[in-house]
Amino acid sequence: MANTYSQCYVHIVFAVKHRDCLIHESNREKIQKYICGIVNQDKCKVLCIYCNPDHTHILVGFRPSISISYLVRDIKSVSSKFINEQQLMPYHFNWQDGYGAFTCSHSQIDSVANYIKRQPEHHKNRNFKEEYLHILEKFGIEYDNQYLFEWI
């Protein structure tokens, strides 16, 4: 029987509901580790992750039998439950509906991972809305403003 080989890398971006700045530095690493555990349970691999106060970037290596939408739904629902059960936020926490998913090649992994790692530095010059619109334009994705994230 022939084996199946694949190389699927996706840069995923999603936001906190209402784009509230709820992910504080004191909880960032705990949330990131928990999200990595969710991804590992789905037999995928986190190559890089950074939770900003109001949005998250994850670079994931996918196995071919899981869909991006399934993984993102799992990450968002299970991590929201964890955040609320652990009372990491002063009020009820949710992620916004929707997400961005952008493929990259093996040769781009280091570049995308460095981009994700440098999020605090990057956001000194560009807010999330500017960043996200830039990514959409870079990938040539047509979009309707009414269906984008809720912006502050």
Side-chain angles (χ1 to χ4, degrees):
M1 179 184 232
N3 290 314
T4 301
Y5 302 99
S6 67
Q7 231 179 34
C8 305
Y9 304 104
V10 180
H11 175 192
I12 300 167
V13 183
F14 51 89
V16 173
K17 188 157 185 135
H18 305 300
R19 292 273 331 292
D20 291 329
C21 293
L22 296 178
I23 301 175
H24 297 278
E25 186 60 31
S26 60
N27 293 322
R28 186 178 60 79
E29 191 170 322
K30 186 183 292 189
I31 294 168
Q32 289 176 174
K33 285 181 180 180
Y34 197 81
I35 290 172
C36 288
I38 296 166
V39 173
N40 289 340
Q41 282 189 332
D42 285 331
K43 296 182 177 63
C44 295
K45 183 177 181 181
V46 172
L47 303 173
C48 192
I49 183 170
Y50 196 91
C51 291
N52 289 286
D54 64 347
H55 70 285
T56 295
H57 290 261
I58 311 172
L59 178 57
V60 177
F62 271 82
R63 63 184 170 96
S65 59
I66 189 168
S67 70
I68 295 168
S69 60
Y70 174 87
L71 181 65
V72 174
R73 182 184 67 230
D74 204 23
I75 290 169
K76 290 166 72 175
S77 66
V78 175
S79 65
S80 290
K81 183 177 179 191
F82 168 77
I83 290 166
N84 289 315
E85 286 177 349
Q86 296 294 308
Q87 298 179 336
L88 300 179
M89 307 293 160
Y91 8 70
H92 189 74
F93 178 86
N94 280 310
W95 298 105
Q96 261 191 45
D97 291 338
Y99 60 91
F102 312 96
T103 59
C104 65
S105 68
H106 184 75
S107 64
Q108 295 172 311
I109 289 174
D110 288 341
S111 174
V112 175
N114 285 331
Y115 175 81
I116 293 171
K117 288 176 193 173
R118 291 191 323 264
Q119 282 293 293
E121 175 184 315
H122 178 73
H123 284 292
K124 289 179 183 173
N125 303 320
R126 183 182 278 179
N127 66 30
F128 176 53
K129 181 178 182 178
E130 294 166 337
E131 173 190 42
Y132 194 69
L133 294 177
H134 174 75
I135 292 171
L136 291 175
E137 290 164 8
K138 179 179 173 183
F139 278 85
I141 297 172
E142 293 182 24
Y143 59 89
D144 186 331
N145 280 318
Q146 71 178 342
Y147 298 113
L148 292 175
F149 295 118
E150 296 174 15
W151 308 112
I152 295 174

